[in-house]
């Protein structure tokens, strides 16, 4: 029996257990805090290019390649990964790393990047994926050819993993005001320019040529085979954004293989922080890494990407090659049921990796530091725990959309704990001034299973204290000089202009599709989905391939309501805009905590959390609630909104949306 709303609490949590399964390498065999934290330098530019109007702007040529990296401590085998790096480096060394080098941009100064797929071997032949690719999803599907690309194929028997050339398309997550031709649309992927791609394969996604033409008309750029050239206006407030792959049905795999990096926008009126004591410019911790800087040098502003991974004994990345890893169900799979043979509803790695190393350490002084945290995991919500660091003081000053309205004292007001959903960023000042010299562990008390909200130890079990409950080590030593930075409580953060009042409200739905097959003993999730809520309060699911249902007019401000009919929290990301979190409100739920249908509101709305006041691009939508955001849609084009649990995103929890009228020249008329 197939139904849309069978996911009772725990259905997507079937793999919860004391020890997290993974590859053949036991986390207990890994020596923690044996490797210094790598601090990514800035990405070297290829040079400058002249754009329409005669101005020169920064230009990058950035390739994605396969290489070996020492992720595990020295003495263990290296790991084969993918990552971005400079194909041409004018002002720094050529370094390919996972996560990759940081792109430094300035407010309202455009940046042009040629993204190149170089997943080929030394002979120019394509490389197959490092991880198992499930070809039964709605995915890029190069072997489907021109007529079957970007589809969910049909099969006469259960297929094995796809082993052909790998498509990529890069998305700068959080880029505000970017044109749709440069946003990294999931169906605008492209294969490497390789010698041996079968003639029957599609080498580009169904939207690639459309966006190629738009880029030519808009910027005069000519896209070459195996690449795409995007331009970013950098209209963001000064903020921490990031870049990663966004290929249809393969995002979880491509990102897990390594390609992601920070993109930092600096300057502009939203970067002017004052010292409230004197009314003068505040001093924030710095410097940050620059072009060609020593990855193990002394910096006081540091980007920190936290990811979970599992490994095999030979050092290779582990990722499940069967649905059975999730719930021990061994089939039958598609086409005999609706159950995909390889896709897992979630994946939790059993080791923590920070800036590309398992459990690294960072030498810090007894002074203030600025850390730009990113949750880059597949499915794992983090609750960073500073409580094991005596005397520490932690303040959050920014999130995805830049500086907050006011600094938030995480130590005094939030038990030294920092909640971060997938893809969320936190700009944090950590003050070690009063921390005794010694070694201290940054903990994680988020669950080793899907997160539904609540408090650790009361509503869920925290992560394994011997593995995923530890993130990295701080080794605190004496300050080498007086700390000139402004204490966080005296920071007067830049004013945040409120968005206009909304002219339209859209009720949207988050759903799960489950299947119950008693005769073969299966009762579990098949897809995560999005949809709408109709006027009668009934959720209606929408597939990725369905016509666009979210179509704001250019210049309109709307409130989007995310009604969560599932058992889990979902980090919802809307491309193209930075939005305000308006409020959250409880829904009437059944005895299992699931929202009843038709939907009914209960109680009063509660305001956003203090660290959400400002602008964001990703928001946590909790089960049994409606989460409301407000956004202004200024730039016409076709974009996406989706859950950033990437395993969900890859299997129908992503939808296209359109700003402005349809373009009849676009695939499917732009709708």
């Amino acid at each position: 029996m197939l139904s849309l709303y069978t996911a009772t609490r725990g259905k997507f949590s079937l793999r919860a257990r004391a020890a997290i399964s993974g590859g053949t390498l036991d986390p207990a065999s890994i020596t923690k805090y044996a490797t210094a934290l790598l601090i990514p330098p800035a990405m070297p530019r290829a040079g400058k290019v002249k754009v329409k109007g005669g101005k020169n702007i920064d230009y990058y040529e950035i390739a994605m390649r396969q290489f070996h990296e020492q992720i595990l401590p020295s003495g263990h085998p290296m790991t084969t990964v993918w990552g971005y790096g400079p194909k041409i480096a004018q002002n720094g060394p050529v370094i390919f790393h996972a996560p990759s080098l940081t792109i430094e941009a300035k407010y309202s100064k455009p940046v042009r990047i040629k993204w190149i797929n170089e997943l080929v071997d030394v002979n120019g032949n394509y490389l197959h994926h490092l991880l198992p690719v499930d070809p039964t999803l709605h995915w890029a599907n190069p072997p489907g050819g021109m007529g079957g690309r970007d589809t969910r194929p049909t099969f006469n028997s259960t297929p094995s993993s796809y082993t052909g050339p790998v498509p990529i398309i890069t998305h700068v997550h959080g880029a505000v005001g970017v044109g749709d031709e440069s946003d990294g649309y999931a169906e605008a992927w492209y294969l490497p320019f390789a010698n041996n791609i079968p003639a029957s394969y599609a080498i580009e996604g169904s939207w690639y040529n459309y966006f190629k033409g738009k880029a030519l008309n808009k910027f005069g750029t000519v896209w070459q085979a195996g690449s795409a050239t995007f331009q970013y206006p950098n209209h963001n407030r000064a903020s921490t954004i990031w870049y990663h792959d966004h290929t249809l049905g393969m995002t979880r795999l491509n990102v897990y293989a390594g390609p992601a990096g920070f993109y930092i926008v600096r300057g502009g009126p939203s970067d002017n922080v004052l010292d409230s004591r004197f009314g003068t410019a505040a001093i924030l911790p710095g410097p940050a890494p620059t072009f060609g800087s020593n990855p193990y040098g002394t910096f006081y502003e540091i980007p920190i990407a936290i990811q979970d991974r599992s490994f095999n004994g030979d050092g290779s990345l582990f990722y499940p090659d069967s649905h059975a890893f999730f719930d021990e169900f061994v089939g039958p799979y598609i086409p005999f049921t609706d159950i995909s043979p390889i896709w897992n509803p979630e994946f939790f790695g059993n080791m923590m990796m920070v800036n590309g190393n398992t459990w690294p350490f960072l030498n810090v002084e007894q002074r203030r530091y600025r850390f730009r945290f990113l949750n880059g995991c597949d499915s794992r919500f983090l609750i960073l725990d500073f409580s094991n660091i005596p005397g520490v003081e932690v303040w959050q000053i920014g999130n995805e959309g830049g500086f907050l309205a006011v600094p938030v004292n995480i130590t005094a007001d939030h038990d030294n704990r920092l909640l971060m959903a997938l893809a969320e960023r936190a700009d944090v000042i950590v003050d070690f001034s009063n921390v005794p010299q010694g070694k201290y562990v940054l903990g994680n008390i988020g669950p080793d299973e899907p997160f539904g909200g609540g408090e650790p130890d009361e509503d869920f079990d925290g992560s394994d204290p011997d593995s995923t409950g530890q993130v990295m080590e701080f080794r605190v030593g004496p300050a080498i000089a007086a700390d000139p930075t402004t204490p966080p409580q005296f920071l007067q953060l830049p004013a945040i202009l409120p968005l206009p009042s909304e002219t339209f409200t859209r009720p949207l739905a988050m759903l799960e599709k489950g299947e119950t097959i008693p005769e073969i003993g299966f009762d579990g999730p098949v897809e995560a989905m999005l949809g709408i809520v109709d006027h009668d309060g009934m959720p209606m699911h929408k597939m990725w391939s369905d016509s666009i249902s979210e179509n704001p007019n250019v210049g309109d401000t709307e409130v989007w309501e995310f009604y969560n009919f599932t058992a889990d929290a979902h980090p919802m990301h809307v491309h193209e805009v930075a939005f305000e979190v308006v409020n959250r409100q409880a829904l009437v739920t059944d005895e299992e905590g699931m929202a009843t249908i038709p939907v009914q509101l209960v109680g009063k709305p509660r305001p956003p959390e203090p660290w959400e006041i400002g602008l964001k691009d990703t928001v946590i939508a909790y089960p049994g609630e409606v989460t409301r955001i407000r956004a202004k849609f200024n730039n016409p084009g076709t974009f996406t909104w989706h859950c950033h649990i990437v395993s969900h995103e890859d299997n129908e929890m992503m939808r296209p949306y359109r700003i402005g009228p349809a373009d009849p020249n676009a695939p499917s008329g732009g709708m």
Side-chain angles (χ1 to χ4, degrees):
M1 179 178 68
L2 189 66
S3 64
L4 284 177
Y5 319 116
T6 58
T8 56
R9 184 166 296 278
K11 281 279 184 83
F12 265 56
S13 308
L14 294 172
R15 288 194 53 256
R17 51 176 69 101
I20 310 172
S21 297
T24 59
L25 186 61
D26 185 350
S29 69
I30 300 301
T31 302
K32 296 182 179 67
Y33 317 124
T35 307
L37 178 75
L38 182 142
I39 303 171
M43 180 76 74
R45 293 185 291 260
K48 298 275 189 177
V49 293
K50 186 169 291 187
V51 298
K52 292 181 178 179
K55 292 183 178 180
N56 289 323
I57 65 171
D58 288 347
Y59 173 64
Y60 295 82
E61 291 196 2
I62 300 175
M64 187 191 295
R65 293 177 183 169
Q66 179 171 296
F67 49 92
H68 303 296
E69 185 169 310
Q70 191 68 56
I71 295 177
L72 301 166
S74 178
H76 289 272
M78 299 183 79
T79 301
T80 302
V81 295
W82 298 343
Y84 297 102
K87 185 178 179 69
I88 300 174
Q90 181 191 62
N91 52 356
V94 174
I95 298 175
F96 281 75
H97 191 264
S100 304
L101 306 187
T102 300
I103 296 171
E104 288 277 351
K106 295 180 180 178
Y107 170 74
S108 282
K109 292 190 175 181
V111 164
R112 182 176 294 177
I113 304 178
K114 180 179 181 181
W115 300 102
I116 308 165
N117 186 343
E118 291 192 350
L119 294 176
V120 295
D121 64 18
V122 293
N123 297 314
N125 296 320
Y126 69 78
L127 296 166
H128 62 77
H129 214 293
L130 299 175
L131 309 170
V133 178
D134 194 327
T136 69
L137 306 182
H138 192 141
W139 71 298
N141 193 21
M146 295 293 285
R149 58 185 172 168
D150 299 321
T151 63
R152 183 184 292 270
T154 57
F155 299 92
N156 295 320
S157 60
T158 302
S160 57
S161 176
Y162 166 75
T163 57
V166 177
I168 72 166
I169 181 70
T170 302
H171 167 58
V172 173
H173 179 123
V176 173
V178 67
D180 58 355
E181 82 293 327
S182 300
D183 187 48
Y185 194 69
E187 292 184 348
W189 52 267
Y190 46 95
L191 297 182
F193 185 60
N195 299 325
N196 59 335
I197 296 175
S200 61
Y201 276 41
I203 61 172
E204 297 145 352
S206 53
W207 282 68
Y208 179 90
N209 281 326
Y210 168 71
F211 288 138
K212 177 180 178 179
K214 287 191 73 171
L216 177 62
N217 292 332
K218 189 173 181 179
F219 304 119
T221 55
V222 177
W223 294 9
Q224 297 174 327
S227 70
T229 302
F230 295 166
Q231 189 157 309
Y232 305 96
N234 297 316
H235 289 162
N236 301 61
R237 302 174 75 236
S239 55
T240 308
I241 58 179
W242 64 301
Y243 60 99
H244 61 80
D245 184 79
H246 211 276
T247 302
L248 183 67
M250 294 178 66
T251 299
R252 71 198 185 286
L253 304 174
N254 288 4
V255 173
Y256 191 89
F262 285 92
Y263 186 121
I264 296 177
V265 180
R266 301 183 189 272
S270 64
D271 209 10
N272 296 326
V273 181
L274 298 179
D275 187 323
S276 63
R277 296 171 298 180
F278 314 115
T280 56
I283 302 174
L284 295 176
T290 57
F291 302 108
S293 61
N294 180 357
Y296 302 99
T298 299
F299 303 100
Y300 301 111
E301 179 193 318
I302 301 174
I304 297 179
I306 303 172
Q307 300 167 296
D308 56 348
R309 296 288 186 267
S310 293
F311 299 87
N312 295 308
D314 63 358
S316 62
L317 290 168
F318 168 82
Y319 201 85
D321 62 359
S322 172
H323 182 99
F325 181 81
F326 175 74
D327 58 10
E328 300 180 354
F329 178 70
V330 296
Y333 301 124
I334 288 173
F336 310 106
T337 65
D338 284 335
I339 306 161
S340 293
I342 299 175
W343 175 78
N344 277 231
E346 288 100 10
F347 174 74
F348 295 83
N350 56 17
M351 304 190 203
M352 301 305 286
M353 184 178 80
V354 184
N355 286 4
N357 288 112
T358 53
W359 294 298
F361 69 86
L362 176 65
N363 290 315
V364 297
E365 303 168 32
Q366 291 171 311
R367 57 157 293 161
R368 285 180 282 273
Y369 284 75
R370 182 181 185 182
F371 296 138
R372 296 177 184 258
F373 286 110
L374 161 68
N375 181 347
C377 298
D378 180 298
S379 305
R380 179 184 298 277
F381 283 68
L382 298 169
I383 303 178
L384 300 181
D385 184 11
F386 294 84
S387 62
N388 294 321
I389 309 175
V392 76
E393 192 170 310
V394 182
W395 292 75
Q396 184 170 350
I397 60 171
N399 57 20
E400 303 94 79
F403 288 115
L404 302 175
V406 294
V408 176
N409 192 330
I410 299 298
T411 298
D413 301 331
H414 301 283
D415 299 322
N416 255 332
R417 295 172 175 177
L418 180 65
L419 171 64
M420 295 190 68
L422 294 301
E424 284 192 315
R425 283 86 72 202
D427 192 347
V428 175
I429 292 180
V430 179
D431 191 345
F432 295 98
S433 299
N434 297 316
V435 177
Q437 296 180 38
K439 300 177 181 180
Y440 306 97
V441 172
L442 173 62
N444 166 46
I445 54 174
D448 287 329
E449 60 178 353
F451 177 68
E455 295 293 327
D457 300 326
E458 296 179 15
D459 301 291
F460 59 85
D461 292 331
S463 49
D464 181 353
D466 295 324
S467 58
T468 52
Q470 300 181 47
V471 178
M472 61 180 292
E473 181 181 74
F474 294 114
R475 297 182 177 178
V476 181
I480 60 176
D483 186 352
T485 64
T486 306
Q489 62 268 33
F490 300 117
L491 294 177
Q492 181 179 325
L493 302 179
I496 301 171
L497 296 177
L499 296 176
S501 297
E502 63 274 12
T503 57
F504 191 77
T505 298
R506 294 186 184 275
L508 305 169
M510 290 173 289
L511 308 162
E512 291 166 1
K513 178 180 176 182
E515 187 164 5
T516 302
I517 314 174
E519 58 270 25
I520 60 174
F522 182 83
D523 183 15
V526 175
E527 294 170 352
M529 309 179 76
L530 299 173
I532 63 172
V533 179
D534 69 15
H535 295 296
D536 297 320
M538 298 296 292
M540 302 173 60
H541 78 278
K542 298 281 186 180
M543 308 295 283
W544 166 255
S545 58
D546 287 339
S547 296
I548 285 175
S549 49
E550 291 70 59
N551 184 204
N553 295 316
V554 175
D556 278 2
T557 301
E558 297 190 351
V559 164
W560 287 18
E561 299 180 320
F562 299 124
Y563 287 84
N564 191 341
F565 294 93
T566 79
D568 307 325
H570 298 273
M572 299 306 299
H573 172 46
V574 183
H575 287 214
E576 172 62 17
V577 297
F579 53 74
E580 298 170 344
V581 180
V582 179
N583 58 43
R584 295 179 175 90
Q585 189 170 0
L587 307 175
V588 174
T589 57
D590 59 23
E591 59 186 14
E592 294 179 322
M594 301 291 291
T596 58
I597 299 172
V599 68
Q600 301 174 68
L601 299 171
V602 63
K604 295 182 179 180
R606 72 177 192 277
E609 300 291 350
W611 54 85
E612 296 178 317
I613 297 176
L615 295 174
K616 287 177 64 63
D617 60 44
T618 306
V619 66
I620 301 174
Y622 291 98
E625 291 188 347
V626 55
T627 299
R628 300 183 177 99
I629 66 168
R630 180 184 292 111
K632 190 172 189 292
F633 300 91
N634 293 323
N635 200 18
T638 303
F639 304 93
T640 60
W641 63 284
H642 58 85
C643 172
H644 221 287
I645 296 174
V646 285
S647 293
H648 293 181
E649 170 188 343
D650 274 349
N651 196 7
E652 297 297 343
M653 208 166 194
M654 180 167 69
R655 285 279 294 149
Y657 82 95
R658 176 79 187 177
I659 303 174
D663 181 350
N665 297 315
S668 303
M671 303 293 286

